[in-house]
Amino acid sequence: MPKAKITPSIDPAACYVLDYAELMGISTAFTRAQDSKPCPIGSGQSGICCKNCFMGPCRITKDGQVGICGATLETIAARNLARAIAGGAAAHSDHGRDLAFTLQAVAKGEAQGYEIRDEAKLLAVAAKHGIATKGRKINEITLDLANKAISEFGQQRGELSYISTAPPKRQKVWRDVRVVPRGIDREVVDILHRTHIGDDQDASHILMGAARTALADGWGGSMWATDISDILFGTPSPGVGQMNLGVLKTDEVNVIVHGHEPTLSEMIVAAVQDPDLIEYARSKGAQGINLAGICCTSNEIMMRQGIPSAGNFLHQELAILTGAVEAMVVDVQCIMQSLTAVASHFHTEIITTSPKVKIAGATHIEFDEHHALEIAREIVRRAIDNYPNRGEVRIPQVTENMVPGFSHEYLNYMLGGYYRQSFRPLNEAIAAGRIRGVAADVGCNNPGVTQDAVHMEVISELLKNDVLVVSTGCGAIAAGKYGYMRGEAGLDKVGPGLREICETIGIPPVLHLGSCVDNSRILTVLTQMATEGGLGDDISDIPAVGLAPEWMSEKALAIATYAVVSGVYVIMGVRSPVEFSDAVTDIIGKEWEEKFGGKLEFVTDPQEIVRRTIEHIDKKRAALKLPPYDPNRFGASGDVPLQYYFELPLEQQMAELYG
Ligand code: BF8
């Protein structure tokens, strides 16, 4: 049976470019997703496959069937899921490791172009890890912190240091069931070992290993990545950002950075501002150099430097299809191999930079933090040299403004001011019912569903129901593209209580918290909410839900798992990688809820995602004995024009204004 046609995107910029791709017969992820059928045996509805040894691969297509070694359906499903989680944790954490090495090189004065931009954060993070700061030189503290971070990757025993920053009750949960990670690399290796032929064959036990590995990501590798990025490049605070393919310029050299590690992109940001290079661009007939990002790298440089984002995951091929990109510079993760094939129709040069990633047909210029600025300049110079080769350009004139960069530190400040930094006002707004609860909408695009459609349906419904939304990764770029991060401009779309809060504090209804590794910021926020008072004393008490409605990567599974093990109910969209195994579906659902207070579910229908999210938030509110949510209770302030009150009889004016 032919596959039902998927509408590719709700984004007019994407549709504009895809029309051209169709005309030219250029294949994209959208067309390939339409033309290919997911392997029914991999982990789908029709069965499951084990390829962990070469007696097989074994296909299990019905309950009761076993592999050649005797492995059951649930063992195989659990192994596959555990390996995917380990893959995601490895990717995030290796990103954190590279940042730790850069920090070490900075401390030794060996990292050209880098410096400590946020000394206050350096001191705060050092103190968290028990590193003495008083009377010591910044370089000494930096070196100790970098060495501490590096040591946690290879640590064999004990506990990761960030574990002690979780709410005390949560730490006890983890210790009681023995999932506290010992070392970041160790937990990834542990999963690869225990899922080898002839090892762990108890689905529940395999997945407890995966839970531990995921914690090593969220409360380890990712948290290190976020904190070190802030120390090196500055802790984000709200600024002005722009989104979508319309940020590309017709008369300037366009350079796109795509991937994840800010070590590279921050140096490209510096290089494009070099007056000599700008002059060089002019000598080639361009008006200047325009830098934009794609995927998480764009979140990193937008929230710190205000560099615009050309879009999320499914925009990477589309940016090249505009014909306006001189160079797309990539590092690690979420980079499609098809980029070079699409680029072969245009003048765009794809430049790989990581020692870990090469793509056939791309130019490789290896990045090295010791000579970072020189390398960044060389890359920008190549892009300028490519400008005269540009042909016809078709840039969709679609952009949206947004406010990026709500770090945990800024949230603290915005809620309490400089002298009374606190999460208390947020907790009180939730307790009173102005904010019904909080949802984190995170994760990818997936061409198996209409681009951005599920993110936006879920986000807009939750906002109408007074649920505050925070967002990271490609989900954040989706929310930004449709105006939900535009300060007060998006407030006509939200419920009355939430609107009051947004107007009072001066925030958009969806808060941009950064890239995918920055989901660790959400853990920090939840920890502070749990310890502030008024919403219980553990993350699992908070009326909050995690959502990844268009997920596709193993990293999304790792994030979802560490959130669940931290006590959060997480709903992922698209479809379940374990849907063929009721036993594993039960383990990550019911069993994990009993153990951790959080559970992982996969739900395809956006309205059902919304329904379950709200149901969970209301259940948590009831457990905390908070007043039931009432959509009519709040909203008679700020947003009502004063004229409305003046026209009322005096008595009614008083009643409406003062209750
Ligand atoms: O790490 S959200 S598509 S870019 S995996 Fe990838 Fe998914 Fe985007 Fe960032 Ni995260």
Side-chain angles (χ1 to χ4, degrees):
M1 205 172 65
K3 201 169 169 181
K5 182 132 177 69
I6 304 164
T7 305
S9 179
I10 57 166
D11 181 342
C15 296
Y16 173 92
V17 178
L18 284 169
D19 282 350
Y20 174 74
E22 193 178 343
L23 200 71
M24 298 297 291
I26 299 173
S27 140
T28 64
F30 295 91
T31 51
R32 291 187 296 275
Q34 190 65 59
D35 296 343
S36 73
K37 249 181 143 184
C39 168
I41 304 299
S43 56
Q45 285 169 332
S46 323
I48 203 147
C49 170
C50 181
K51 51 184 178 57
N52 292 15
C53 84
F54 273 74
M55 292 190 287
C58 294
R59 286 170 147 209
I60 307 292
T61 54
K62 55 178 183 286
D63 214 4
Q65 207 179 353
V66 295
I68 293 171
C69 71
T72 59
L73 170 60
E74 60 261 31
T75 297
I76 295 169
R79 275 182 189 158
N80 292 352
L81 179 58
R83 282 201 165 196
I85 291 166
H92 276 152
S93 298
D94 212 33
H95 168 167
R97 183 201 323 269
D98 284 344
L99 279 158
F101 280 127
T102 304
L103 189 70
Q104 189 186 51
V106 170
K108 292 179 177 171
E110 296 170 353
Q112 182 200 45
Y114 299 100
E115 59 185 345
I116 303 297
R117 292 219 191 122
D118 192 339
E119 285 189 11
K121 178 117 190 193
L122 170 75
L123 299 180
V125 177
K128 249 186 212 177
H129 294 285
I131 293 165
T133 55
K134 210 165 171 208
R136 299 184 71 204
K137 291 198 177 111
I138 286 297
N139 273 15
E140 290 169 1
I141 300 167
T142 306
L143 187 59
D144 279 1
L145 186 66
N147 289 340
K148 170 71 181 160
I150 292 163
S151 75
E152 291 223 321
F153 288 87
Q155 187 171 292
Q156 302 303 319
R157 295 198 176 85
E159 296 185 351
L160 292 183
S161 193
Y162 278 114
I163 291 296
S164 64
T165 65
K169 211 165 161 185
R170 185 58 23 190
Q171 293 178 43
K172 182 169 179 333
V173 169
W174 292 337
R175 290 193 185 105
D176 285 351
V177 293
R178 298 174 59 204
V179 293
V180 176
R182 298 154 291 190
I184 298 166
D185 294 350
R186 177 162 186 191
E187 303 312 343
V188 175
V189 169
D190 182 273
I191 288 299
L192 291 179
H193 178 184
R194 72 165 71 195
T195 55
H196 182 271
I197 163 76
D199 277 303
D200 199 351
Q201 287 152 54
D202 176 318
S204 174
H205 192 247
I206 291 168
L207 290 167
M208 287 300 274
R212 196 179 207 175
T213 305
L215 283 182
D217 172 1
W219 295 85
S222 280
M223 214 169 257
W224 278 113
T226 295
D227 278 350
I228 295 175
S229 297
D230 286 354
I231 291 167
L232 285 174
F233 309 119
T235 301
S237 58
V240 179
Q242 245 197 349
M243 293 265 180
N244 222 334
L245 293 167
V247 304
L248 297 173
K249 301 263 170 66
T250 47
D251 54 0
E252 294 188 20
V253 174
N254 288 306
V255 179
I256 286 194
V257 281
H258 167 27
H260 283 77
E261 295 182 348
T263 32
L264 165 74
S265 48
E266 286 280 345
M267 285 303 117
I268 304 269
V269 173
V272 298
Q273 292 170 33
D274 180 333
D276 290 346
L277 284 171
I278 294 171
E279 207 37 59
Y280 186 55
R282 292 204 177 112
S283 77
K284 299 281 179 182
Q287 293 299 309
I289 311 167
N290 179 45
L291 181 64
I294 292 264
C295 283
C296 279
T297 270
S298 76
N299 284 313
E300 298 275 1
I301 52 177
M302 178 189 279
M303 67 183 173
R304 295 196 178 91
Q305 312 285 356
I307 302 295
S309 169
N312 39 9
F313 177 68
L314 285 174
H315 272 36
Q316 56 188 286
E317 296 169 308
L318 308 187
I320 299 171
L321 275 153
T322 64
V325 176
E326 276 58 56
M328 182 175 278
V329 188
V330 303
D331 54 18
V332 293
Q333 299 167 28
C334 304
I335 299 149
M336 292 190 200
Q337 184 165 357
S338 62
L339 291 184
T340 49
V342 178
S344 69
H345 297 272
F346 303 90
H347 73 307
T348 308
E349 185 172 31
I350 307 294
I351 301 176
T352 52
T353 57
S354 166
K356 294 171 203 126
V357 176
K358 283 193 176 185
I359 304 176
T363 305
H364 189 72
I365 301 177
E366 198 151 303
F367 188 68
D368 170 4
E369 68 264 26
H370 299 93
H371 311 283
L373 203 48
E374 256 165 61
I375 296 166
R377 282 200 194 106
E378 183 194 338
I379 288 171
V380 174
R381 184 171 278 271
R382 283 183 79 93
I384 296 168
D385 285 336
N386 201 14
Y387 182 74
N389 300 324
R390 192 190 273 190
E392 195 191 332
V393 302
R394 290 155 304 275
I395 302 172
Q397 294 308 306
V398 180
T399 58
E400 184 54 90
N401 295 329
M402 49 96 64
V403 181
F406 288 88
S407 57
H408 158 251
E409 288 81 353
Y410 188 82
L411 290 173
N412 230 332
Y413 163 74
M414 89 185 183
L415 289 164
Y418 191 73
Y419 294 107
R420 290 184 298 119
Q421 301 198 4
S422 164
F423 268 58
R424 174 74 48 169
L426 176 65
N427 281 16
E428 284 175 357
I430 294 171
R434 273 196 171 80
I435 297 177
R436 189 173 191 169
V438 182
D441 179 274
V442 309
C444 323
N445 284 148
N446 184 325
V449 298
T450 302
Q451 184 195 18
D452 299 339
V454 196
H455 281 299
M456 295 324 299
E457 186 171 343
V458 168
I459 288 175
S460 59
E461 280 302 312
L462 291 176
L463 293 177
K464 280 186 219 154
N465 281 281
D466 290 302
V467 175
L468 175 69
V469 177
V470 300
S471 193
T472 61
C474 290
I477 300 174
K481 282 196 289 180
Y482 305 99
Y484 283 79
M485 291 180 169
R486 260 195 304 144
E488 298 206 352
L491 293 183
D492 52 337
K493 300 164 181 159
V494 315
L498 176 60
R499 180 173 180 158
E500 277 190 352
I501 297 294
C502 293
E503 284 175 338
T504 305
I505 307 176
I507 53 169
V510 182
L511 300 181
H512 177 276
L513 260 71
S515 64
C516 265
V517 290
D518 290 335
N519 284 307
S520 62
R521 293 190 202 276
I522 299 176
L523 296 178
T524 312
V525 166
L526 290 170
T527 297
Q528 193 161 346
M529 288 170 77
T531 47
E532 186 65 51
L535 295 179
D537 54 5
D538 193 359
I539 292 172
S540 56
D541 295 332
I542 299 170
V545 176
L547 308 167
E550 297 183 25
W551 76 282
M552 63 85 199
S553 87
E554 291 175 328
K555 289 183 292 172
L557 287 171
I559 294 163
T561 305
Y562 72 61
V564 169
V565 179
S566 301
V568 180
Y569 174 28
V570 176
I571 308 174
M572 303 183 83
V574 189
R575 58 176 201 279
S576 167
V578 294
E579 65 189 329
F580 197 60
S581 170
D582 292 342
V584 170
T585 302
D586 273 359
I587 291 168
I588 61 176
K590 288 186 201 125
E591 191 178 312
W592 277 8
E593 189 171 33
E594 277 160 28
K595 282 196 168 93
F596 302 119
K599 60 182 170 178
L600 178 55
E601 290 178 351
F602 294 85
V603 178
T604 307
D605 175 19
Q607 286 303 322
E608 181 60 14
I609 294 176
V610 171
R611 193 193 65 72
R612 290 192 199 190
T613 299
I614 289 176
E615 185 181 72
H616 181 80
I617 283 172
D618 287 348
K619 192 176 97 187
K620 290 290 170 186
R621 292 187 63 86
L624 287 165
K625 304 202 178 356
L626 301 178
Y629 167 73
D630 175 359
N632 301 313
R633 182 146 175 239
F634 299 104
S637 63
D639 54 333
V640 180
L642 276 179
Q643 194 59 34
Y644 164 83
Y645 296 104
F646 294 152
E647 285 166 6
L648 297 174
L650 188 61
E651 212 170 289
Q652 200 181 336
Q653 265 185 38
M654 288 308 181
E656 290 224 7
L657 282 169
Y658 303 110

